[in-house]
């Protein structure tokens, strides 16, 4: 019971992270519309919808004003990454019929920026699925927690412990939110610069975007 109360104190912050991930995860839906892959709209929507629902549920859990311990923060970050892998695998499962275990592996490979794939033919995969995998690698590269903390307009010990629990030690700004925000800006600049350099080499825009997002 004590462990549940300890985790519940950090649940709203976890919920906020899932909400941000859910919003960003809607981006591949634009790709599906642009490339007229309308059959993938529902499979792709499964991930952001579940992220948002999870975020809303966690956000409703009552909390106390007690700051979570480092151990609770570590457990929370581990749960966030694990949940992202299980939810992030749904588009692969529903969209291209990969076995669910393979789909979870594919998502975990993306979020952790490992790069390994179980797709039989990456070149023949739909644009929507390819972009989803590139997006998970892009967000996972900077860190799921660091990516979302950057969008929070206030700093606290909870955010600091979540940030550090992701294995990060960067602290070149007065607080963790400012640090994450500056990292986020640098990350975008490097990504855009990477796209430009790949385009300059003669590769088309679609490939340049995916190459840069996965390479960064």
């Amino acid at each position: 019971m004590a462990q549940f109360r300890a985790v519940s104190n950090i649940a709203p912050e976890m919920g906020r992270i899932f909400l941000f991930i859910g919003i960003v995860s809607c981006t591949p839906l634009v790709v599906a519309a642009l490339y007229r892959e309308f059959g993938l709209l529902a499979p792709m929507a499964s991930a952001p919808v579940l992220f948002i629902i999870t975020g809303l549920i966690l956000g409703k859990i009552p909390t106390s004003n007690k700051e979570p311990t480092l151990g609770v923060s570590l457990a929370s970050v581990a749960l966030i990454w694990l949940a992202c892998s299980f939810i992030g695998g749904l588009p692969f499962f529903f969209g291209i019929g990969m076995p669910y275990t393979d789909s979870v592996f594919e998502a975990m490979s993306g979020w952790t920026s490992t790069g390994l794939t179980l797709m039989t033919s990456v070149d023949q995969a739909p644009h929507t699925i390819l972009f989803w995998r590139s997006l998970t690698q892009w967000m996972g590269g900077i860190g799921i927690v660091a990516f979302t903390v950057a969008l929070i307009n206030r700093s606290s010990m909870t955010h600091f412990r979540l940030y550090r629990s992701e294995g990060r030690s960067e602290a070149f700004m007065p607080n963790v939110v400012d640090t994450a925000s500056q990292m986020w800006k640098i990350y975008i600049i490097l990504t855009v610069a990477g796209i430009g350099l790949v385009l300059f080499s003669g590769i088309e825009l679609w490939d340049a975007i995916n190459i840069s997002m996965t390479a960064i």
Side-chain angles (χ1 to χ4, degrees):
M1 195 67 176
Q3 288 86 348
F4 175 78
R5 281 197 296 268
V7 174
S8 69
N9 283 334
I10 208 169
E13 300 303 333
M14 293 175 64
R16 186 173 300 190
I17 288 172
F18 281 119
L19 283 174
F20 282 132
I21 295 172
I23 292 170
V24 178
S25 296
C26 292
T27 312
L29 297 175
V30 178
V31 175
L34 288 174
Y35 285 94
R36 300 183 179 278
E37 296 174 343
F38 300 115
L40 288 172
L41 285 173
M44 187 60 246
S46 61
V49 166
L50 197 51
F51 278 130
I52 291 172
I53 290 175
T54 303
L56 292 174
I57 291 173
L58 290 173
K60 296 293 184 181
I61 295 177
T63 64
S64 65
N65 293 325
K66 185 178 179 181
E67 290 286 352
T69 63
L70 179 59
V72 171
S73 299
L74 285 166
S76 300
V77 169
L79 287 172
I80 290 169
W81 278 84
L82 190 61
C84 282
S85 298
F86 281 103
I87 297 174
L90 294 177
F92 301 109
F93 177 67
F94 291 122
I96 56 177
M98 290 181 67
Y100 185 63
T101 51
D102 290 359
S103 299
V104 173
F105 176 93
E106 197 75 21
M108 188 172 291
S109 177
W111 289 115
T112 58
S113 300
T114 306
L116 297 174
T117 182
L118 293 178
M119 292 185 188
T120 54
S121 178
V122 175
D123 292 335
Q124 295 180 5
H127 293 82
T128 306
I129 296 299
L130 287 177
F131 186 78
W132 170 236
R133 197 169 188 286
S134 297
L135 184 65
T136 59
Q137 290 194 52
W138 189 73
M139 286 194 289
I142 194 172
I144 296 172
V145 173
F147 179 83
T148 51
V149 164
L151 304 177
I152 298 171
N153 59 9
R154 61 187 177 85
S155 185
S156 70
M157 183 58 70
T158 299
H159 298 143
F160 174 79
R161 284 177 174 157
L162 281 171
Y163 182 83
R164 287 300 175 90
S165 295
E166 199 173 42
R168 298 191 167 274
S169 59
E170 302 93 341
F172 50 84
M173 296 293 287
N175 62 63
V176 69
V177 174
D178 288 339
T179 295
S181 298
Q182 293 303 315
M183 286 172 55
W184 190 70
K185 292 174 184 176
I186 294 169
Y187 202 64
I188 289 179
I189 292 171
L190 289 174
T191 304
V192 173
I195 293 172
L197 288 172
V198 177
L199 279 173
F200 185 72
S201 72
I203 294 176
E204 64 179 25
L205 179 61
W206 168 254
D207 289 331
I209 291 173
N210 284 275
I211 288 172
S212 182
M213 289 177 70
T214 54
I216 194 67

